[in-house]
Amino acid sequence: MIEARIQVDPIDVGGIIDGTMAEGAGAVATFSGIVRADEGVNALELEHYPAMTQAIMQSLAEEAGARWSLLGARVVHRVGKMTPGETVVLVVTIAEHRHAALDACAFLIDTLKTQAPFWKREWRGAAGDWVEPRQNDDRALARWREHPAED
């Protein structure tokens, strides 16, 4: 199963990992992005363009599935307002071998950061500030576009 979805509700990390398991799996890689309380942030709010965001996330998951011959992959991203400690994004990749699972998981989180149209606002007290894209995210994406998958 290759699936991407967007939701407002909290992410059930364990349930999603269990639900992604596949016959023949030898490796499961996961990434959970958590809201941090950096510099006084008391909430993180994400907005998106639903149809476009969903289509891009699904396309990235399918690209990873094909590129690393995954047995399964799930990408779940939250939108709305979240507080520190809550899971914002979960990426799960299932493969026969660890390198494929780990590389596909890293590819997905790196590409999501730059390719999926989400807009982030960090709240400190009653004031919300929009978060600008980071050059580090662009550099992380470049490594996947420059180097083919390694088996």
Side-chain angles (χ1 to χ4, degrees), residues 25-115:
V28 178
T30 66
F31 173 85
S32 297
I34 311 296
V35 177
R36 296 184 312 266
D38 293 351
E39 301 172 10
V41 170
N42 59 23
L44 177 69
E45 184 176 11
L46 272 80
E47 295 182 10
H48 72 302
Y49 178 60
M52 181 184 289
T53 306
Q54 175 65 41
I56 289 171
M57 286 176 51
Q58 186 67 38
S59 176
L60 292 171
E62 290 172 6
E63 179 182 347
R67 191 170 176 177
W68 284 278
S69 300
L70 297 178
L71 301 173
R74 275 194 160 158
V75 179
V76 181
H77 211 298
R78 284 190 65 191
V79 293
K81 209 167 195 179
M82 293 156 274
T83 58
E86 290 187 79
T87 301
V88 178
V89 61
L90 174 66
V91 175
V92 181
T93 55
I94 310 287
E96 289 181 11
H97 303 285
R98 73 182 183 279
H99 291 291
L102 291 167
D103 287 349
C105 188
F107 165 82
L108 281 167
I109 197 60
D110 287 344
T111 56
L112 283 170
K113 289 284 287 183
T114 57
Q115 305 299 302

